[in-house]
Amino acid sequence: MRSAFSGKIVQLVAALLVLLVNFVTSQDPDIVKTCTSYKKSVWEETSEFSFLIENAPIIYKTLDKCTSYAPLIIGGGPALPKEFPHAARLGHREDDGEIEWFCGGTLISNLHVLTAAHCLYSPQGSVNIVRLGDLEFDTSTDDADPEDFTVKDFTLHPGYSHPAIYNDIAVVRLSKTVTFNEYKHPACLPFDDGRSVPSFIAIGWGQLEIVPRTENKKLQKVKLYNYNTRCRFTADKNDELPEGYNATTQLCIGSNEHKDTCNGDSGGPVLIYHKDYPCMYHVMGITSVGVACDTPDLPAMYTRVHFYLDWIKQQLAKT
């Protein structure tokens, strides 16, 4: 019996090692490399010097300034300056210059913003403007570097069919490249699917409360939790979810407190910290649809970004 039991232990350990190897190797090397390059381009400064001796070799020294601007998020509240440099706001600008903002997004390259497909069906009009680098709208006294970009085009996932919110993901392409700095640079794409992630950070300029309807001009952050497959039981089938919750393509995220995303947050990201780079985040989900805004223990559904990596990479390859 002892020999058989020991054999089972060996088999179990071997299986766990295989799973670990598969997890490590499942990380897309292109995404890992790109994430590192973004970090280096913004946060690392290389200088050269040499001793004042003839033919002395040049010595290069790199200063890494990649540190976190904020402590770990507990609860929620206003975002700090430079805390979320990938945060984007999407809107429609009329011919007279008047802009109505209605969705969020995430900068994922120097030309592309990730958002929800349903944001491109807004009654306010098509998305034709994106603002990056802002913190509080309609003020110039905050520590921000807002810049508006016109939209060249956008692509909805081919599996999206309005009004259902499956495959609720789209990529907006900007008309000019973004110059990266501490106020504006991309979030990294996911290294894994987020199933084992215990909590996320959601950000957006959406309403702070569903009733009364309150306009919000400050970027907000909130810590939310992974409810795994709970949404299978809390989400009724309707026009938006004709087949109910899909755990393969959606994340189920919420809180047991009055903490939530709300109207106006659609398209914005749910994030986790990069394990090695405290100045960087991964965009794990896209705010998609809520069951009831600001209701404790009633999680909402977010598009699972990792599932769509191949499609996203195809969009990034377009110039």
Side-chain angles (χ1 to χ4, degrees), residues 248-296:
T248 301
T249 63
Q250 296 172 308
L251 289 161
C252 181
I253 303 174
S255 173
N256 58 6
E257 302 179 69
H258 287 277
K259 301 180 189 300
D260 204 355
T261 52
C262 204
N263 295 344
D265 289 323
S266 289
V270 286
L271 310 151
I272 61 172
Y273 294 100
H274 191 289
K275 182 172 68 70
D276 298 317
Y277 307 147
C279 56
M280 303 290 290
Y281 296 85
H282 294 283
V283 52
M284 304 300 293
I286 301 170
T287 303
S288 181
V289 62
V291 179
C293 180
D294 193 33
T295 303

Side-chain angles (χ1 to χ4, degrees), residues 26 110 131:
S26 67
N110 63 352
R131 179 168 292 180

Side-chain angles (χ1 to χ4, degrees), residues 115 158 209 225 247 295:
T115 189
E209 298 175 287
Y225 296 89
T295 303

Side-chain angles (χ1 to χ4, degrees), residues 39-60:
K39 177 259 184 183
K40 288 183 176 180
S41 69
V42 177
W43 300 102
E44 294 186 12
E45 294 181 358
T46 301
S47 56
E48 59 181 57
F49 64 93
S50 65
F51 297 103
L52 299 177
I53 304 174
E54 186 177 358
N55 297 323
I58 297 176
I59 299 173
Y60 297 92

Side-chain angles (χ1 to χ4, degrees), residues 24 34 36 62 92 101 109 155 157 168 196 201 206 225 254 307 313:
V24 173
T34 301
T36 299
T62 299
H92 176 79
W101 305 99
S109 84
T155 305
H157 190 275
D168 190 15
S196 61
I201 305 156
Y225 296 89
F307 181 83
K313 289 173 65 177

